Amino acid sequence: MNRLKAIADGQDIESVVHEEVMSCDPVLSIQNFSLYYGRKQALHSITMPIAKGLVTALVGPSGCGKSTLLRSVNRMNDLIDSVSIEGDMLLGGDSIFSPGLDVIQLRKRMGMVFQKPNPFPMSIFENVVYPLRIDGERNKSTLMQVCEQSLRGAALWDEVKDRLGESGLSLSGGQQQRLCIARAIASDPEVLLLDEPCSALDPIATSKIEDLIEKLKGDYSILIVTHNMQQASRISDHTAFMYLGRLVEMGPTSTIFTRPRLRETEDYITGRFG
Amino acid sequence: MSQTLQRSRGNHRVAAQGEPMIWLTGGMFAIACLMILCLLGFVLYQGLATLWPRNYLLVGMLDGELAAGEYLERRSYVLSQQNLKDLGPKSRAEAEGLLGQQSEVTSHQWYLRTGNYEVTNRHFQFVPEVSMASDAPLYPPDIWLLERRQWGNLYGFPKRFSWDIDSRTTSMQAVHEAMKETAKISHRMEAAKRELEHLDRRLANARLSVRQVELSEDSDLQKVTEDVLAAAMNETSVDPSMESRFLPVIQSVSQRAKDALMHLAREAIEVQAEQVHINEELATLEQEIQSRSIVMQLPVLDSIGSISVSKNALTSSKTCPEELHPLLGLEGIPSDYTMRAAAIAEHQFLVALQRSETQPTYVWFHTDPASDTATVYGLREHTVLVADIVRLIAPNQLSFLGKLGVYADRWTEFLFGQPREAGVEGGVFPAIWGTIVMTLIMSMVVMPFGVLAALYMREYARGGWLLSAIRISINNLAGVPSIVYGVFGLSFFCYTIGGYIDGGPVKAGFTPWPEATWFSALALFAIVGLIAFTLSFLTGQNAEKNSFWLRWLSLGSGLLWIATLVGVVILLIKIPMFRGFYEAQLPNPTFGKGCLLWAACTLALLTLPVVIVATEEALAAVPNSLREGSYACGAGKWQTIERIVLPYARPGIITGFILAMARGAGEVAPMMLVGAIPLTTDLPLDLEFPFLHGSRSFMHLGFQIYALGFQSQNSEAAKPMVFTATLLLLTIVTLLNLTAIWLRARLRKRFQSSQF
């Protein structure tokens, strides 16, 4: 408990990142990243690699900065006026926060899925090909091909292939979320950012999404925020435990869930704290 | 614990439960509903009943007059000692008997539409029941109602026709035939008059081109123009040699002026020749029109003498009394005539004298029971041109279906016809059309402004005190009395901008600068604009660098842009070269007066807050998760707005927009100032080039209600029209609102979500 108490008191602590994680091939590396909402610091000098082709889970109690970190990766926090940052992140060697960077091009290299399914008020087909549409793609066969590919990728094709023209809002919650995943992978991103994608879904829909994440692993590098410890242990390869804006421990999921190096992590994982 | 429970029970108050509030709130609700229903019911009844044909009745009065008219309704009134003095002696005795010792008593009077305005000088009449000699009025079956182009309705018995009538047809059919014929003639006359107008315009255009030359050369051609026109009067046709005859008149002017003047001369000669031709044709047609007329007998009495005849003899006899014959000056011998007497009251009779195959002559007898004599009254005769008749019916002969037919016919005329008699009769089509066209133009103006402004405020602008202040101001603007907009529209749009278009800065009330000053100012503002452009270009290039001096630089460029804009406005109002697009027409204003365009602009301004507020609310209702989802896909700001935000907000935007249209369509106060006029046959949008006439004044339904009800010379006669027009306006506004509701429901369905 000392570390957590120290964090709560505002002291800096050393993050524990396992060697297995450090030695892997990162698609995204976060380097000394700090973020402020106005004067209030929300992230404290976080350094972590996101391994290529693997699933990295961010866990931690509410308000620990998981979502903020995730939303920093594709610079969604730019939409909030008072945000300022220090440090940097590198996506395949390119600095995400360099001044001359085209944010729109950056976002096209990532897919993001939100907590609540947010299909657009248009047809299923148009929902999926939206990223291509905004790039000005008009070729019908290309669009159709991408649509089918993405929907198959999101394990939704068989359910909707006969009603691509219907509103995306006519689907059930779980289907809507898979539609959002299909949309996220339509532009063939390097990283997939999932922000508690199952928190608004029932257990059956959740298990479908989890199966889907298993399937997508390898083709995409996935960064997922979750509150559900079982989910993290089931689907992720690496797990990072955060607390009050600081990274506490990060390691291979099997290690983190069976014999973490820190007692604080074990307490949180087992539910004794948090 | 149990103690407190008991105490609260002991102090139990009904009010604490809120039950009585049901009565208060429900009562208020019921009163509100009742008021709305009363208003709607009143307008609906009055509006629908106006055009329904009523029965025409004659009723004899105690003091010997005859009351006649279309029976509208029976109203109660207070009969008091004061209003006794308005009654004749016999009626007063009757009324005194009714009053007894009381100072006042409630009695009834009949409300009659009398028509025959040029004889009776009134359209409506109240007939007190105390003055009536009989409770049972007479409904003469062969009374005719002529709806005319002038002077309103005429009620009477037909007596003579100026043309020969085929004996196989009824007289009514014959008149209908004649009406069709005269309608054709009137049609040709109208065409001829239009032709005359066209000729006038040709001449005016030719004069205008001379005036344009005059303005551009700064010369005075007034005198020589008059001379040319005078010389043209002596010519009969255009021929090659005529130029030589005009040369002495126009030799002192420039070549351009010469050309324009010669053109004017040729036009004047041609126009003159054609005018003579058309006027001859018109005169012939006019003669034909005048040759078809009907002599009507109106129920207005003229005493012509007295004869000795008893009441019994009058009712039993079937032949005409000999003495009557010379009094009436009837043709033929008395025995040719049959006589029918119908009792109006105990001593009053309407007597029809008829010779076979002709129309009956009506006389009115007032018998004296004491002396067996009767005073004879003739009915006043009045000649009506067939061409003046719009509709002819015999109201007392109509069955219910017949009345329904007349009713439908009158509604058709009301909705699609031109107004007659200063709008009191006839149709309101120009008003409906004017309202529709004006509202459409208004929407085209207000839509882009409102939606784009709201988009900026909601999607782009950074929140802050300035934005809040602007938002509050816009909300307040929606509550500004509409007459204020009217005054603003008149002074800004009509006089300033309209004047500027007509006659340049001078006409709009500005003093232009000398050319040197103006060009120096032009250079100055061009430099300022260039600097502003360079600065904003520089800041745009370095937008990512969030440095201190860059912020000041962008602020500076913004200020310079504003300065440039102000400069452009100043340059426009101080320009010395521009003399307006319609200078030649001055002093007659073209755009510098109330007209369709400025009315639409004023209303657009008035409805702008409604559109902005509605659009902003619709935009605020778009879930942020959708915007984020779009950004996460790599969409830009405008792409997100265009593809996600606007489609989602569309139902709300359209609803607000239609509500604004409904408000604009019903607005009257600004219309009075910026372009609506009570009567015109010119439509704002018609088949005449350039089809949409922005500079025309127009009729407006809301303004029509005001003008007819309160501004016309005869507002009593216009009252029925006011209610019908009100009903129509309410219907249009209701339809617009219903469309809004339907559209919203339809569009909502498309975005309907089935959440979990």
Side-chain angles (χ1 to χ4, degrees):
Chain A
M1 277 313 200
N2 325 353
R3 279 168 178 265
L4 302 187
K5 199 162 184 324
I7 292 172
D9 289 344
Q11 297 172 22
D12 283 335
I13 52 130
E14 189 90 357
S15 312
V16 178
V17 182
H18 297 203
E19 299 74 34
E20 294 93 323
V21 178
M22 288 308 269
S23 61
C24 73
D25 174 23
V27 63
L28 176 77
S29 67
I30 301 169
Q31 296 172 341
N32 282 323
F33 186 75
S34 301
L35 183 140
Y36 303 82
Y37 290 118
R39 290 255 177 89
K40 193 175 156 287
Q41 192 167 6
L43 295 176
H44 295 261
S45 180
I46 289 178
T47 303
M48 64 161 87
I50 308 300
K52 190 169 195 169
L54 297 182
V55 179
T56 304
L58 293 175
V59 300
S62 296
C64 71
K66 311 179 295 283
S67 291
T68 304
L69 183 63
L70 189 83
R71 291 164 62 90
S72 299
V73 176
N74 65 350
R75 289 185 61 174
M76 289 298 275
N77 285 329
D78 286 12
L79 301 175
I80 304 164
D81 278 334
S82 58
V83 165
S84 55
I85 57 122
E86 282 167 13
D88 202 356
M89 299 183 184
L90 296 177
L91 177 68
D94 304 331
S95 164
I96 289 179
F97 288 93
S98 85
L101 179 106
D102 186 350
V103 182
I104 287 174
Q105 288 307 321
L106 172 77
R107 287 182 188 148
K108 282 177 182 161
R109 293 169 68 183
M110 307 183 189
M112 188 169 189
V113 176
F114 296 82
Q115 201 166 343
K116 265 181 76 178
N118 57 352
F120 299 142
M122 43 178 88
S123 70
I124 294 172
F125 175 78
E126 288 295 333
N127 257 291
V128 177
V129 301
Y130 184 77
L132 281 79
R133 282 271 190 221
I134 54 179
D135 280 343
E137 180 65 58
R138 291 255 176 100
N139 189 329
K140 205 78 194 163
S141 63
T142 313
L143 290 174
M144 198 59 223
Q145 199 187 334
V146 170
C147 176
E148 180 175 348
Q149 214 175 326
S150 307
L151 284 171
R152 279 191 196 284
L156 192 60
W157 175 253
D158 293 330
E159 292 164 58
V160 301
K161 65 182 173 198
D162 300 325
R163 46 180 184 139
L164 291 176
E166 275 179 39
S167 167
L169 293 158
S170 64
L171 298 173
S172 74
Q175 287 173 326
Q176 286 188 5
Q177 196 62 303
R178 276 180 283 153
L179 180 66
C180 292
I181 294 176
R183 186 174 72 199
I185 61 178
S187 57
D188 199 21
E190 293 163 44
V191 183
L192 211 49
L193 308 169
L194 310 179
D195 189 357
E196 300 182 43
C198 303
S199 67
L201 302 182
D202 64 35
I204 295 169
T206 302
S207 79
K208 279 190 181 166
I209 301 276
E210 285 180 10
D211 292 346
L212 175 59
I213 293 171
E214 283 291 327
K215 212 183 91 186
L216 292 172
K217 186 162 84 180
D219 294 338
Y220 304 98
S221 313
I222 298 172
L223 183 58
I224 178 170
V225 167
T226 179
H227 266 297
N228 185 332
M229 288 305 128
Q230 282 82 17
Q231 187 174 56
S233 72
R234 275 195 302 267
I235 60 173
S236 69
D237 301 296
H238 293 161
T239 300
F241 169 49
M242 292 176 67
Y243 184 69
L244 288 184
R246 286 183 168 87
L247 177 63
V248 180
E249 183 170 358
M250 183 181 186
T253 302
S254 52
T255 318
I256 291 285
F257 276 82
T258 49
R259 40 193 164 77
R261 294 208 187 145
L262 299 178
R263 243 196 79 205
E264 293 83 353
T265 312
E266 191 179 349
D267 284 348
Y268 182 75
I269 301 283
T270 52
R272 253 174 281 171
F273 146 78
Chain B
M1 190 63 178
S2 70
Q3 237 178 359
T4 52
L5 206 73
Q6 242 165 16
R7 203 178 60 218
S8 74
R9 234 181 241 157
N11 288 350
H12 180 79
R13 294 192 306 132
V14 186
Q17 310 283 325
E19 298 293 333
M21 294 313 280
I22 294 180
W23 290 97
L24 185 65
T25 52
M28 287 301 159
F29 170 74
I31 289 172
C33 286
L34 207 67
M35 287 196 297
I36 293 169
L37 282 180
C38 279
L39 172 75
L40 282 183
F42 182 68
V43 171
L44 210 63
Y45 171 74
Q46 294 278 7
L48 288 178
T50 298
L51 299 179
W52 184 256
R54 319 296 181 97
N55 287 329
Y56 189 87
L57 56 80
L58 297 175
V59 60
M61 310 297 283
L62 284 173
D63 289 294
E65 309 103 20
L66 178 67
E70 240 182 283
Y71 177 76
L72 297 177
E73 62 181 340
R74 184 168 178 253
R75 289 188 188 170
S76 62
Y77 78 113
V78 175
L79 177 68
S80 65
Q81 301 289 354
Q82 275 83 34
N83 52 30
L84 278 188
K85 61 180 184 293
D86 303 333
L87 302 172
K90 284 187 186 161
S91 314
R92 190 184 304 173
E94 177 85 15
E96 272 166 356
L98 197 68
L99 269 171
Q101 296 304 311
Q102 292 158 293
S103 64
E104 56 180 48
V105 64
T106 306
S107 181
H108 289 93
Q109 52 191 359
W110 292 3
Y111 187 44
L112 302 181
R113 179 170 186 162
T114 52
N116 302 345
Y117 184 76
E118 63 265 64
V119 180
T120 59
N121 264 321
R122 64 186 168 201
H123 287 281
F124 296 90
Q125 183 187 10
F126 282 105
V127 184
E129 280 184 353
V130 284
S131 316
M132 291 180 192
S134 156
D135 297 337
L138 181 73
Y139 294 94
D142 43 359
I143 191 95
W144 279 10
L145 158 57
L146 311 184
E147 291 176 24
R148 295 176 296 173
R149 273 178 232 290
Q150 286 162 9
W151 298 104
N153 290 355
L154 182 132
Y155 302 89
F157 303 99
K159 189 173 181 188
R160 272 195 311 276
F161 304 98
S162 67
W163 70 100
D164 291 330
I165 284 181
D166 189 341
S167 59
R168 282 165 302 185
T169 60
T170 64
S171 50
M172 193 166 231
Q173 281 166 343
V175 177
H176 275 131
E177 280 300 316
M179 277 166 66
K180 270 184 211 154
E181 281 168 35
T182 49
K184 277 181 211 152
I185 300 172
S186 304
H187 220 77
R188 277 165 59 196
M189 282 178 77
E190 273 163 31
K193 279 175 188 159
R194 271 202 302 275
E195 193 63 27
L196 280 181
E197 275 172 28
H198 179 70
L199 291 175
D200 282 346
R201 265 206 302 277
R202 259 177 73 183
L203 202 59
N205 282 340
R207 286 192 79 138
L208 214 58
S209 45
V210 174
R211 172 95 178 113
Q212 263 154 4
V213 172
E214 190 177 359
L215 282 171
S216 68
E217 291 180 346
D218 214 8
S219 54
D220 184 9
L221 299 176
Q222 188 115 25
K223 174 80 174 60
V224 67
T225 309
E226 297 306 323
D227 290 346
V228 164
L229 285 175
M233 294 289 273
N234 301 326
E235 300 282 330
T236 48
S237 65
V238 179
D239 58 74
S241 66
M242 63 176 256
E243 197 141 344
S244 57
R245 290 197 293 281
F246 278 90
L247 268 182
V249 184
I250 59 174
Q251 61 189 350
S252 60
V253 299
S254 72
Q255 186 57 42
R256 264 184 75 203
K258 256 181 205 157
D259 291 343
L261 285 167
M262 275 318 292
H263 176 67
L264 176 63
R266 276 191 292 274
E267 289 286 277
I269 293 164
E270 276 174 21
V271 162
Q272 187 186 317
E274 283 193 45
Q275 269 173 343
V276 169
H277 178 70
I278 292 172
N279 278 329
E280 275 168 13
E281 189 193 343
L282 269 178
T284 331
L285 292 173
E286 182 65 33
Q287 246 175 8
E288 272 186 67
I289 290 271
Q290 293 291 343
S291 70
R292 294 249 195 283
S293 64
I294 313 173
V295 177
M296 300 289 293
Q297 306 173 77
L298 314 186
V300 174
L301 303 180
D302 290 319
S303 173
I304 49 174
S306 61
I307 59 170
S308 79
V309 61
S310 73
K311 180 180 157 189
N312 288 338
L314 200 63
T315 47
S316 57
S317 168
K318 293 266 182 273
T319 51
C320 178
E322 299 262 343
E323 312 131 272
L324 198 54
H325 223 252
L327 276 184
L328 293 172
L330 294 172
E331 290 170 16
I333 51 172
S335 54
D336 285 352
Y337 287 83
T338 56
M339 180 172 84
R340 280 176 293 119
I344 294 178
E346 202 182 340
H347 298 294
Q348 298 173 11
F349 299 89
L350 183 70
V351 176
L353 299 165
Q354 188 169 23
R355 195 162 61 153
S356 60
E357 305 291 319
T358 61
Q359 299 294 324
T361 303
Y362 283 90
V363 278
W364 194 66
F365 278 70
H366 199 160
T367 56
D368 182 354
S371 63
D372 265 359
T373 57
T375 320
V376 183
Y377 296 86
L379 267 55
R380 183 141 344 141
E381 293 185 358
H382 190 80
T383 311
V384 182
L385 282 183
V386 174
D388 257 355
I389 306 174
V390 178
R391 187 178 290 109
L392 163 63
I393 57 173
N396 291 348
Q397 285 175 6
L398 285 176
S399 63
F400 179 75
L401 276 181
K403 282 186 175 173
L404 209 61
V406 172
Y407 187 61
D409 189 40
R410 281 179 176 171
W411 265 105
T412 315
E413 190 201 354
F414 179 72
L415 291 178
F416 303 109
Q418 293 286 344
R420 288 186 267 126
E421 291 190 72
V424 174
E425 305 273 340
V428 290
F429 181 72
I432 299 177
W433 191 235
T435 311
I436 291 175
V437 172
M438 195 270 303
T439 310
L440 285 182
I441 297 179
M442 173 207 86
S443 2
M444 278 188 266
V445 176
V446 75
M447 193 65 184
F449 275 100
V451 172
L452 291 180
L455 264 181
Y456 178 78
M457 284 168 66
R458 186 52 70 177
E459 300 288 327
Y460 286 101
R462 201 174 300 164
W465 64 269
L466 189 63
L467 189 71
S468 307
I470 290 173
R471 199 167 278 151
I472 291 170
S473 313
I474 289 176
N475 279 324
N476 282 336
L477 221 52
V480 170
S482 53
I483 188 77
V484 175
Y485 287 95
V487 173
F488 173 77
L490 183 70
S491 65
F492 181 69
F493 289 127
C494 301
Y495 293 156
T496 308
I497 296 192
Y500 188 83
I501 292 174
D502 274 3
V506 183
K507 187 79 179 63
F510 303 109
T511 326
W513 280 334
E515 290 203 11
T517 320
W518 190 81
F519 278 111
S520 341
L522 179 68
L524 177 71
F525 285 120
I527 291 168
V528 171
L530 205 65
I531 295 173
F533 178 77
T534 322
L535 278 187
S536 54
F537 187 73
L538 280 177
T539 50
Q541 285 281 296
N542 303 307
E544 292 300 324
K545 290 179 200 140
N546 205 1
S547 68
F548 177 76
W549 67 272
L550 206 67
R551 201 171 293 173
W552 280 105
L553 210 64
S554 64
L555 187 71
S557 80
L559 287 177
L560 284 180
W561 274 123
I562 293 174
T564 315
L565 199 70
V566 172
V568 168
V569 173
I570 292 178
L571 286 176
L572 277 177
I573 64 178
K574 291 293 186 187
I575 185 167
M577 292 79 78
F578 180 64
R579 307 280 294 276
F581 295 114
Y582 298 95
E583 198 193 4
Q585 271 97 329
L586 287 175
N588 291 333
T590 307
F591 278 99
K593 62 178 194 316
C595 63
L596 180 75
L597 184 65
W598 303 141
C601 286
T602 308
L603 273 197
L605 203 66
L606 182 135
T607 48
L608 192 63
V610 183
V611 173
I612 290 183
V613 169
T615 309
E616 261 213 281
E617 269 166 22
L619 292 176
V622 178
N624 242 335
S625 65
L626 287 184
R627 291 192 185 89
E628 287 188 342
S630 175
Y631 292 137
C633 286
K637 186 114 198 171
W638 178 247
Q639 280 175 323
T640 302
I641 291 172
E642 185 194 4
R643 290 164 185 267
I644 307 292
V645 176
L646 276 183
Y648 195 92
R650 194 162 27 183
I653 296 175
I654 292 178
T655 309
F657 176 58
I658 292 183
L659 289 181
M661 268 172 81
R663 164 138 197 234
E667 202 56 71
V668 180
M671 289 298 101
M672 303 197 297
L673 301 180
V674 292
I677 49 173
L679 194 70
T680 173
T681 47
D682 288 345
L683 297 176
L685 178 67
D686 58 18
L687 297 174
E688 201 176 306
F689 187 79
F691 310 117
L692 183 65
H693 308 278
S695 63
R696 274 188 189 170
S697 297
F698 60 101
M699 280 173 81
H700 183 269
L701 212 47
F703 179 67
Q704 196 67 6
I705 293 170
Y706 169 76
L708 276 184
F710 308 101
Q711 298 295 104
S712 69
Q713 291 178 341
N714 196 340
S715 39
E716 185 68 20
K719 212 161 79 182
M721 215 55 164
V722 170
F723 283 114
T724 330
T726 309
L727 181 67
L728 192 63
L729 189 62
L730 272 186
T731 314
I732 290 178
V733 171
T734 311
L735 277 180
L736 277 178
N737 282 328
L738 283 180
T739 319
I741 293 168
W742 173 78
L743 210 63
R744 182 169 49 190
R746 217 182 100 95
L747 286 173
R748 280 265 162 84
K749 215 182 279 169
R750 280 181 40 199
F751 303 129
Q752 179 183 46
S753 106
S754 56
Q755 286 285 348
F756 320 115

